Amino acid sequence: MDFAAYGAWQEALEEVFFSPEWDGHPVVMYVDDAEVASLQKRFALDVSLVDAVSRGVDPGASHPYAAIEKYEESKRSADGAPAVLPLLACSVIAATRMANDGQRRANNYHDHLSQLLTGRDGVLTSAKYLPIAWMWQRLASWQLQWGAYRGLCTIPSPEDLPQHQARIGYALSQAVLRGTDRMLLPKFFHVMSQRNSTAWPLPGAVLVRGAKLWDQGDKFSTGFRRAIDDPEICPIAERLLGNLANVWDGSEEYVQPGTPRAELLVRFENRRLGWLARLPRPGEREYQLSGGAQLQQLGDTSYYSVGGLKLPEDRSLRAGFQLVGEGIVVSRPASSLVVFRQDDSLDCRTSVDRFVPGEEHMIISAPEAAADVEAVLDRAASPGRRKEAGRLSWMPEGWTLYHGVVFDDPVTLKQAIRSVQGAVLAVQPAPQFKMYLQGGLRIAPDLDQRLYLVGGEPNLVLPDGASGKAKLDGQAQDPPFKARGVPIPLWVREMPEGKHRIEAEESVVEFTTAEDAPSLATPDTVVGFPLAGGKGAAYPAAQRAGAPVVTGAHFGEAGTGAAPRVVLCRRGAETTIFVSSDGRAWEVAVPDSPSWWSRLPAKPSDYRFEVELRGTDGWILQKRRGKWTAEAAHPSELSFHPTARHKPWARAVLDAADGCADPLWHSYVSLAQEVGL
């Protein structure tokens, strides 16, 4: 079928819900009939959402969504959201119709979805719905990989869903809160925090009870009020409200998407607490904030020192912060406990959002949260932790310190946190939505990213809530894998050389093992920049094998005569281009961090990536949110006479003409203008 209309809706939904405009903001993909009509008009789409999706659904097939799954596989990329958004949006619409249709039982979700996409009840049954549940998990996994850059994920973990809603709960979770409800929540959270002297954030069940009693509760949408009164949907509403309370910054004001948000962190260094800010992506060197506070970038990192702000104390740690500046909001969620881990790049401890199993943590807890913390530590922490209360001058009054805290078993930790609820809910380990391979000894990754040395097979990581039942090369594992939330080593199974396949939880991963890297046949010709007189030509050409050419990822000359120089580029740009002083231009591909990155004893920052220059110089041009910047890469004076052949170079330079105030850059712009386009 023609997926043009489906693809247009995919682009529209990604821009609305998962663009960088949501950086640092929780995302709820609420879509109902009225919202869809508004989006169709806004993006001038000829085909309705339901029609675009229905064309890819085969109701009578055993796998009705196979065409959409195939389309999604063909469109996978490192940057774009999985091409399942139109179908998932329809699944949310069906959830919004559950309580307002006089013909079907309110809780019969599948009849609503079937009627929406086929015009008939009972065609798209629960037995055929599993692929949509997996699509939700794939979307959540993709969003989490971006951190906060594509918005904070509110799609529930499989473990958070009631058993009878294990499949449809993802769509239900996104149908609870519409935009008007989101704007009310900061004020509601403020009221609840003032009325309760217990630890913040409050459990979702307490927040739902408060929403029913709040004197302004009638301002919530009809759908939200109906959801919290419905015993089937209420548990999901509780979890969603709890997650949003976890990231609430203490302000009564709703911060609109599109406003860059920086995290305000607590810093522990030299037995003293202080503040630190971190931007999720590159920003300015300095910022002026409300109340006389200032941010000053620390070197060439994503961290900023915070001046003009009183040091952390009992009240400021409990209440949270929101500081507003020109083009930025700095915030910290309200909380009655702070969790620290060592930050090797800063050589100090900084506050973190979540516990990381296997890592050592330090915790400081307010009195009202101490009982919950102790219960979690007693049940899940490894031996060796220590407790100190009321004896340290730098501690907030009444708070308790726990240090040397390590959690070796993520499953036990999550169970302990959920049993006590309260403030510790905010720091539970990040959810895991999909099965994947981790680590291993790759050989020839340029040929195959999943080719491993025999004996160096990767580890297997199972998603949350996995049963552990799996097939390895067609053989059921008996006993099943121990799905304890930690990587499962595969090398101990002494698998033979060749292809291997693991099937678990309705998903598949494959990899290949070999004793050594395969030998490659020598090509008859190669394509590169011909090398003559020690210099590379300006334009690539096909050459016979063995001829001196510049190939690969290096810019400039090759060979031992050209000493390499390295420049650092910031990640997160829409486009990165290198323009040289001799009239050439290359688009720079951003490399992924290798799989073994997280295993290093001191994990380096992946805020930047390296570009190696050999025998050339110029400028790094990067586009972010429609604005270009030009950063020096050892630039020299221009050394060529412009001709029509230099139009690609000139076009790149003129696009970024306003990206730098350096006089040398202005000379590049002037020469580019002479080329003409």
Side-chain angles (χ1 to χ4, degrees), residues 217-533:
D218 58 346
K219 294 182 180 179
F220 284 121
S221 68
T222 302
F224 173 70
R225 298 199 304 271
R226 188 180 292 120
I228 61 178
D229 286 334
D230 188 329
E232 295 286 321
I233 303 178
C234 189
I236 290 179
E238 292 174 354
R239 183 68 67 192
L240 180 60
L241 279 187
N243 289 341
L244 293 173
N246 291 347
V247 297
W248 174 60
D249 59 14
S251 170
E252 295 184 65
E253 300 298 322
Y254 176 70
V255 180
Q256 294 288 345
T259 304
R261 299 189 76 160
E263 298 176 85
L264 187 64
L265 308 177
V266 185
R267 178 178 189 165
F268 177 69
E269 187 175 22
N270 298 326
R271 305 191 68 78
R272 182 187 180 196
L273 295 179
W275 296 115
L276 195 67
R278 180 174 61 199
L279 267 66
R281 48 186 171 149
E284 304 296 332
R285 290 286 182 183
E286 298 180 5
Y287 290 96
Q288 296 297 321
L289 305 174
S290 55
Q294 316 92 32
L295 300 186
Q296 182 76 39
Q297 189 174 19
L298 295 175
D300 199 18
T301 71
S302 58
Y303 292 96
Y304 289 73
S305 63
V306 182
L309 197 62
K310 190 176 181 181
L311 294 179
E313 57 182 1
D314 174 71
R315 182 177 179 181
S316 59
L317 290 176
R318 294 170 187 262
F321 263 103
Q322 184 185 111
L323 303 172
V324 180
E326 185 175 349
I328 191 172
V329 169
V330 182
S331 61
R332 177 182 178 272
S335 181
S336 299
L337 62 89
V338 183
V339 177
F340 297 88
R341 283 205 314 273
Q342 182 69 20
D343 188 309
D344 293 317
S345 63
L346 297 174
D347 194 25
C348 66
R349 294 180 188 265
T350 62
S351 60
V352 293
D353 296 332
R354 299 176 181 273
F355 288 129
V356 176
E359 298 279 342
E360 183 176 309
H361 304 82
M362 183 177 85
I363 305 171
I364 59 174
S365 168
E368 66 270 20
D372 290 342
V373 173
E374 297 248 7
V376 170
L377 296 180
D378 289 343
R379 182 173 175 183
S382 302
R385 71 181 188 275
R386 298 179 301 282
K387 172 183 176 181
E388 297 182 49
R391 298 186 306 172
L392 303 172
S393 60
W394 57 268
M395 284 275 290
E397 185 177 355
W399 286 51
T400 303
L401 167 69
Y402 307 86
H403 49 102
V405 177
V406 178
F407 301 100
D408 287 327
D409 189 334
V411 174
T412 301
L413 172 58
K414 290 181 181 180
Q415 291 172 344
I417 288 175
R418 288 168 183 168
S419 67
V420 301
Q421 300 284 312
V424 287
L425 271 175
V427 292
Q428 63 181 312
Q432 177 59 50
F433 288 92
K434 68 176 183 178
M435 176 174 67
Y436 67 96
L437 299 174
Q438 180 189 80
L441 298 176
R442 288 192 176 94
I443 53 177
D446 52 333
L447 296 178
D448 186 347
Q449 286 288 325
R450 295 198 170 185
L451 177 61
Y452 300 87
L453 183 69
V454 171
E457 292 82 359
N459 296 333
L460 176 69
V461 180
L462 294 176
D464 291 345
S467 65
K469 295 179 180 179
K471 287 185 178 181
L472 175 58
D473 295 336
Q475 300 295 316
Q477 299 303 288
D478 188 18
F481 289 129
K482 292 183 178 180
R484 301 298 296 173
V486 293
I488 301 165
L490 298 177
W491 65 269
V492 298
R493 297 177 179 269
E494 299 182 350
M495 293 180 286
E497 181 178 8
K499 291 187 176 181
H500 303 283
R501 177 183 176 93
I502 301 174
E503 303 169 68
E505 311 300 325
E506 300 294 331
S507 61
V508 174
V509 294
E510 296 178 319
F511 63 96
T512 306
T513 56
E515 293 289 353
D516 51 31
S519 58
L520 299 178
T522 303
D524 295 331
T525 60
V526 293
V527 176
F529 295 88
L531 196 62

